[in-house]
Amino acid sequence: MALGEIGRRSEKARLRAVLEESRRDRGPVVAVVRGEPGAGKSTLLDVFGAEASAAGFRVATVRGTGAEDRPYAAANRLIAQLRAGGGKLVEIQHRTPPGDGPGGLIAAVPTERDVPVALCVDNMAQVDSWSLRWLLDLSRTLPPAPLAIVLTVRICGAGVEAVSGPVNGAWGEPGTALLAAAELIDLPGLLTIDLPEAAAARCRVRLDARTAAVCGELTGGNPALLHALLAPHTGSAPTADALRTTAASGALAGADRWLAPLSASALALARAVAVLGGGAEVVDSAELARLTVEEALGAVDQLVDACLLANHTPLAFRHPLLETMVLGRIAAGTRTALHLRAAALLRDRQAATTTVAHHLVAAGPVGEEWAMRCLWLAARQLEQKGRPQDAARCLRAALREPLRPHEESAVRRELAELEAFVDPERAVRLLDAARCESQDPGVVLEYALALAALLAECGRAEDAVTVLDEAAARLGRTPGDGSWQLRLRLHKAFACRRGPLWLAQAADPLDNLTCQTPHRGIAGRELAALRAVQAVDAGADRGAAVRYARQGLPRAEGSGSATLVWRTCGALVAAGEVAEAWTHCGRGRQVAGARPGRWDHIKVELLRAAVLRARGDLHGADTILTPMADHLLAFAATGHPSAVTGVAALAEVQVLKGLADSARSLLAESGLDRDPLPWRRDSAYALAARAAVHESDDPARALEDLLAAGRLLEEAGVRNPAVLPWRSRAARLLAARGERKEAAELAGAEAADARRWGTPESIGTALHALALTESGERRIDLLADAAGMLARSSDHLHHAFVQADLGAGLAELGRGEAARAELLSALRLARACGAEPLARQVQGAWRSLREAGRGPWTLPGAPRAAPDPAASVAEPPAPPESAVHAAPHSASPLLDCLTPQERKILHLAKDGHSNRDIAGRLFVAVRTVEFHLSGAYRKLGISGRRQLAQVFSGG
């Protein structure tokens, strides 16, 4: 396909129709091709001329240059081309406009009716008005042969419906009259799908879908701009980043075509708008360009007429590449001065902080305190918006301003936390260099703690301990209250916990730390957090663990870190205080550091997912973890402990939801399916997740992983089943393959530790495993005890597992009615939690119960079979209240299709509670309430709360 035809199929078809219409009607047909500069009007006109010639038309072409103003100059050139073709001519006296003097122009057209004529006029705005008058008269005259007239004109201004100013005068003159009478064919930018073909044909550049989209974004599909962007990449396949870098450089071919015709005031205003960026106000642009408002408005009209600016306010360029062209033509010194003036101007006008900061970053050091404060605040706002790279640029700019030692330390640490999310090694180098250069003891301490925390997060606990020891030696003779010594020792203890077990075993005894006299402030909270996690590991005093965890919680913003929330709330979850932990998760988002783009934010989100998982809410946990999967996978592959824990949690959630293949892929991509894993605490969670993935297809490997996790935790001194119930999981696998003695030993040991810890979740989980090693009535009794325990807990999912096994056991003993109640409750809980495999297992047990003749019942929510005349199938009566713990029950049959969580929320909504009140009562997000309400409304066939009373009344 010819270059001018790419992406112009519809326009070519319309021009062919012009030829056909002139043949058919034997009258003059006029068409005007309109488009912005570089849109390809001339090229398309050439394509039309070639097709007209191939169709038997005698073609004459003229291009308006505006260089000559002789009357009828363009018309004479057209006639000369027609005469050169030979043939008999007819003379037509042309009427000249009044005042043009006597005489006129003799126009010539062929007399043969079989020889049609096509006149092509390029850039009619540069054609003399006398020739346009001749074309207008010719279009109104019935010629002896078919006649097609096609012209091109540049459009800008208000858009495709207007021409950029009158052509050769006001309305009623020949150019404007021709436009009014012609068929208009507009040339928009090329579509994204056509850009790869155009790039290959014109620049020999290969574009894929992503780079084509970038080209379309930067150029608007303008062929000339596309060529300017791709010319430096001829013969290659550039990446999207390479294209953006080329655009940002501003060194593009063809800039003079757009900028050379501009007046000095128009160029100054264009520079001001380019510096201010999209959305520039006219007044601000005028002041930055040192123009009066009246001068600026005239310059705006000129820039709109030149197709540089879009025809609206605030001011913006038609295409981003035009803006970079203007910026690239500004000398570096001038551009810096403009950014400095723009920052001061926008600050005085109370513009957005991030907007002012953008100019400060581009300008360089200002040397004033307001600039540093603006950059620091803008960085935090950009973090909240999920733009960590822009935030990092603001912090780097802030470091170029004059800072006090503690301010510089705070900015460097914030920058390192941002870098740690993208390039941990660069963050380590930044903090290490700052630590070595600093002389202030307090600043040295903060750098050491931040660097040690970063190293521990990256799986380099040994290096973290070295940094802390060096800081302790460097500050050993520094006078003070001694709290810094305690903080260094506390952070060393936490770093050892996250490192290899040999490091934890070689560390200082924790008793020397946990027996310290309580301190106030951050040191006291960190000490309480260490006591809490130590109490959880020991598993002997749940009350002490809760007490210490509450003491360690940050009291207000700036009084702690998300890491402190992670430790204390993790202890609360292990202690069964799930609702309290969820409340503090919300506060964890507000403490210093817990902002998007940082690992502290990720850790708070992981904690929220852990709370939801502890409650059995698989949907909620998956909703939090899945958006972070890419980051977690990338860092888990490098041994990042928090990422390893997050990937393990997501894999286990997906297995429970029935997405085993996806979970298996997660482990493979993160490298957690390989052996051996590092011998440290977080590997225990990875081993448990691997066991969950392989439980169905390779039980032997799953058992091996669980036993390995157990050995790891025992070496770490952890026996509390609330940390990881590996013995009960291993006991279930052993019991399934008939090794009941070994299973009973593991389950019994866990049950003893669970009773010592005292949470219903731990005791119920251990009793469940112990029950599976028994049979007959003994098994039923233990399952009933486990169900009773879990009914008092927040773990609805494990409660559903126990009730499913209890229902199956009761069915085996012939107690169909009791089995039915347990299975029904298990099904409702499983569906509410999102555990589809468990729901299918319960449905299978229900069908077995019916086939054994202990039914005949229909399971709510299951597909109904065709009616059997020989059988009478009745709906089951409502199960006992003790068998349903997921939601309030109603006698209305409509509510049977709802999940327990949906019924809970509907009951509260019916009682008049707002969505926010419901979220607070159930410890869920407001959007979760909205999600469940909309789902319930859809199932019930109602439109809102006003119809709830009718539903609950059975109407």
Side-chain angles (χ1 to χ4, degrees):
M1 184 180 291
L3 181 61
E5 301 178 60
I6 297 173
R8 301 304 187 192
R9 299 169 185 83
S10 63
E11 291 83 358
K12 280 181 55 185
R14 293 182 64 184
L15 288 174
R16 288 195 200 99
V18 168
L19 295 175
E20 294 170 1
E21 183 181 352
S22 66
R23 277 188 181 279
R24 183 180 62 251
D25 297 341
R26 307 193 63 81
V29 179
V30 183
V32 174
V33 179
R34 310 187 305 176
E36 65 183 17
K41 303 181 295 296
S42 300
T43 306
L44 186 63
L45 188 65
D46 292 341
V47 171
F48 167 76
E51 290 201 358
S53 180
F57 279 73
R58 297 180 63 189
V59 180
T61 303
V62 65
R63 303 189 186 279
T65 63
E68 49 187 341
D69 55 0
R70 290 186 300 106
Y72 304 111
N76 278 322
R77 294 202 299 273
L78 289 172
I79 293 172
Q81 294 177 50
L82 293 176
R83 285 176 173 169
K88 187 176 180 180
L89 304 177
V90 62
E91 295 182 354
I92 301 177
Q93 180 67 35
H94 183 77
R95 300 186 304 277
T96 59
D100 282 351
L105 180 69
I106 305 299
V109 294
T111 56
E112 294 87 355
R113 292 186 175 275
D114 296 333
V115 183
V117 174
L119 302 179
C120 302
V121 180
D122 193 16
N123 196 4
M124 62 178 289
Q126 298 296 317
V127 172
D128 62 278
S129 60
W130 295 274
S131 295
L132 293 178
R133 168 77 65 182
W134 173 71
L135 288 170
L136 178 62
D137 285 353
L138 194 59
S139 70
R140 295 171 176 174
T141 304
L142 183 62
L147 175 63
I149 304 173
V150 177
L151 309 96
T152 69
V153 67
R154 184 187 71 183
I155 60 165
C156 292
V160 297
E161 295 302 325
V163 180
S164 56
V167 180
N168 296 299
W171 177 264
E173 293 202 358
T176 309
L178 271 173
L179 287 176
E183 177 184 354
L184 303 179
I185 302 175
D186 293 311
L187 283 189
L190 297 175
L191 298 176
T192 303
I193 58 175
D194 295 319
L195 294 182
E197 185 179 0
R202 186 162 187 177
C203 301
R204 294 185 293 109
V205 170
R206 298 184 300 278
L207 298 180
D208 56 21
R210 183 182 179 191
T211 51
V214 171
C215 289
E217 172 193 339
L218 294 173
T219 68
N222 184 293
L225 292 178
L226 180 68
H227 178 262
L229 177 64
L230 297 180
H233 304 281
T234 299
S236 66
T239 64
D241 290 339
L243 291 173
R244 293 189 185 279
T245 301
T246 300
S249 70
L252 301 169
D256 289 337
R257 174 180 183 178
W258 299 82
L259 305 182
L262 299 179
S263 65
S265 59
L267 186 58
L269 187 71
R271 290 174 173 175
V273 175
V275 168
L276 289 172
E281 297 293 345
V282 174
V283 175
D284 296 339
S285 303
E287 185 168 344
L288 188 59
R290 301 186 186 279
L291 300 172
T292 66
V293 174
E294 290 76 11
E295 291 172 335
L297 291 174
V300 168
D301 288 345
Q302 185 179 352
L303 292 171
V304 170
D305 187 54
C307 295
L308 280 167
L309 294 186
N311 190 44
H312 60 67
T313 56
L315 304 178
F317 284 85
R318 286 176 68 91
H319 306 300
L321 198 63
L322 294 173
E323 181 176 340
T324 63
M325 277 185 177
V326 174
L327 283 173
R329 300 292 292 272
I330 306 175
T334 303
R335 187 165 59 246
T336 299
L338 286 172
H339 279 296
L340 283 172
R341 289 184 56 222
L345 169 66
L346 294 174
R347 178 203 61 182
D348 294 341
R349 297 188 187 279
Q350 298 182 340
T353 303
T354 53
T355 303
V356 178
H358 164 75
H359 295 288
L360 292 174
V361 170
V366 177
E368 297 186 20
E369 185 175 354
W370 73 266
M372 185 275 291
R373 297 291 177 190
C374 175
L375 288 165
W376 202 350
L377 178 59
R380 294 188 173 182
Q381 292 178 356
L382 289 168
E383 284 184 71
Q384 295 288 355
K385 295 177 181 178
R387 296 165 58 186
Q389 293 181 343
D390 292 335
R393 279 192 284 271
C394 288
L395 291 176
R396 292 192 197 97
L399 288 172
R400 299 199 298 261
E401 303 293 339
L403 299 171
R404 301 180 184 88
H406 285 281
E407 291 175 335
E408 183 177 359
S409 169
V411 173
R412 284 187 184 276
R413 283 185 282 115
E414 284 202 29
L415 179 58
E417 290 170 0
L418 281 172
E419 297 284 12
F421 199 67
V422 179
D423 189 346
E425 289 302 320
R426 183 165 59 183
V428 167
R429 291 193 298 270
L430 172 68
L431 284 176
D432 194 36
R435 174 180 67 100
C436 296
E437 296 169 1
S438 181
Q439 301 299 324
D440 185 282
V443 173
V444 171
L445 172 66
E446 294 302 328
Y447 277 139
L449 295 179
L451 178 57
L454 176 57
L455 289 168
E457 286 288 353
C458 294
R460 296 167 57 183
E462 305 95 318
D463 294 336
V465 169
T466 300
V467 167
L468 294 169
D469 286 342
E470 289 178 356
R474 183 177 176 184
L475 300 175
R477 299 177 183 178
T478 304
D481 61 1
S483 64
W484 63 265
Q485 297 175 341
L486 177 60
R487 293 197 67 194
L488 286 172
R489 295 177 65 191
L490 287 168
H491 279 252
K492 181 177 178 180
F494 280 118
C496 290
R497 283 173 54 85
R498 305 198 74 179
L501 289 190
W502 66 263
L503 182 65
Q505 292 163 355
D508 298 334
L510 293 181
D511 292 341
N512 296 339
L513 278 174
T514 54
C515 294
Q516 291 277 336
T517 302
H519 286 67
R520 294 182 179 180
I522 184 62
R525 284 189 286 276
E526 289 175 346
L527 177 59
L530 181 61
R531 287 171 167 167
V533 296
Q534 186 182 16
V536 170
D537 286 350
D541 191 345
R542 186 170 69 92
V546 173
R547 184 171 66 254
Y548 290 138
R550 289 169 178 166
Q551 292 172 3
L553 285 166
R555 299 290 183 267
E557 184 173 348
S559 65
S561 67
T563 302
L564 194 58
V565 176
W566 166 273
R567 293 165 181 162
T568 52
C569 286
L572 290 175
V573 172
E577 302 296 335
V578 176
E580 184 177 354
W582 179 257
T583 301
H584 291 292
C585 283
R587 294 182 60 189
R589 288 176 157 183
Q590 302 170 4
V591 301
R595 294 189 289 274
R598 297 189 180 195
W599 269 108
D600 279 344
H601 174 76
I602 293 289
K603 292 174 75 171
V604 170
E605 294 300 290
L606 291 178
L607 179 61
R608 294 178 65 236
V611 174
L612 293 171
R613 171 64 185 87
R615 295 175 53 193
D617 186 355
L618 300 179
H619 287 312
D622 190 32
T623 300
I624 292 175
L625 292 171
T626 297
M628 302 188 296
D630 290 340
H631 289 295
L632 294 176
L633 287 170
F635 281 92
T638 63
H640 197 296
S642 296
V644 170
T645 304
V647 171
L650 179 56
E652 186 176 353
V653 165
Q654 291 190 339
V655 168
L656 292 170
K657 291 183 66 178
L659 305 173
D661 290 340
S662 177
R664 194 173 289 106
S665 298
L666 285 174
L667 296 180
E669 290 181 42
S670 60
L672 298 183
D673 61 342
R674 296 192 295 267
D675 288 319
L677 292 176
W679 203 242
R680 63 190 192 199
R681 293 173 65 103
D682 57 282
S683 293
Y685 301 103
L687 289 166
R690 272 175 26 178
V693 170
H694 295 296
E695 184 173 342
S696 59
D697 60 355
D698 193 350
R701 182 179 178 185
L703 179 61
E704 182 181 345
D705 284 336
L706 286 171
L707 295 177
R711 289 193 300 272
L712 193 159
L713 291 176
E714 286 181 344
E715 286 187 33
V718 180
R719 287 191 59 87
N720 190 346
V723 175
L724 181 63
W726 64 272
R727 285 170 291 186
S728 60
R729 296 185 185 182
R732 291 199 292 271
L733 291 175
L734 287 168
R737 65 186 196 181
E739 300 178 26
R740 293 194 174 186
K741 181 179 179 181
E742 294 83 351
E745 290 177 358
L746 286 175
E750 181 167 308
D753 287 337
R755 291 191 178 94
R756 189 163 59 119
W757 182 240
T759 59
E761 295 89 346
S762 298
I763 297 173
T765 299
L767 289 176
H768 181 205
L770 192 60
L772 298 181
T773 67
E774 303 287 348
S775 60
E777 290 294 340
R778 173 62 178 163
R779 182 174 193 169
I780 296 300
D781 291 342
L782 287 173
L783 286 173
D785 291 343
M789 276 290 177
L790 291 169
R792 295 161 43 196
S793 77
S794 58
D795 192 350
H796 300 307
L797 179 59
H798 206 132
H799 188 197
F801 275 105
V802 172
Q803 286 191 304
D805 286 339
L806 179 56
L810 290 169
E812 289 177 2
L813 296 180
R815 294 156 63 177
E817 187 66 26
R820 170 184 171 276
E822 295 298 336
L823 291 175
L824 180 59
S825 181
L827 179 65
R828 288 173 173 169
L829 282 172
R831 285 176 173 167
C833 294
E836 288 304 318
L838 177 58
R840 290 193 293 269
Q841 175 187 332
V842 173
Q843 289 174 329
W846 188 280
R847 285 192 295 270
S848 299
L849 193 62
R850 288 187 55 187
E851 291 168 1
R854 302 189 183 104
W857 308 299
T858 299
L859 190 62
R864 296 180 181 271
D868 184 357
S872 175
V873 180
E875 288 290 336
E881 187 64 27
S882 61
V884 182
H885 306 281
H889 184 71
S890 172
S892 173
L894 288 173
L895 301 180
D896 285 339
C897 64
L898 303 181
T899 66
Q901 186 76 339
E902 287 171 343
R903 287 200 300 275
K904 274 185 181 179
I905 292 173
L906 280 187
H907 273 277
L908 292 171
K910 175 182 70 71
D911 294 338
H913 296 286
S914 67
N915 289 357
R916 187 171 296 278
D917 291 339
I918 297 172
R921 286 170 175 263
L922 299 181
F923 304 107
V924 298
V926 175
R927 62 184 179 185
T928 302
V929 174
E930 295 169 348
F931 172 78
H932 283 300
L933 280 176
S934 62
Y937 293 159
R938 185 175 61 254
K939 292 177 183 178
L940 297 174
I942 62 177
S943 59
R945 292 174 181 250
R946 289 176 296 179
Q947 296 172 269
L948 285 179
Q950 180 182 1
V951 171
F952 280 92
S953 66

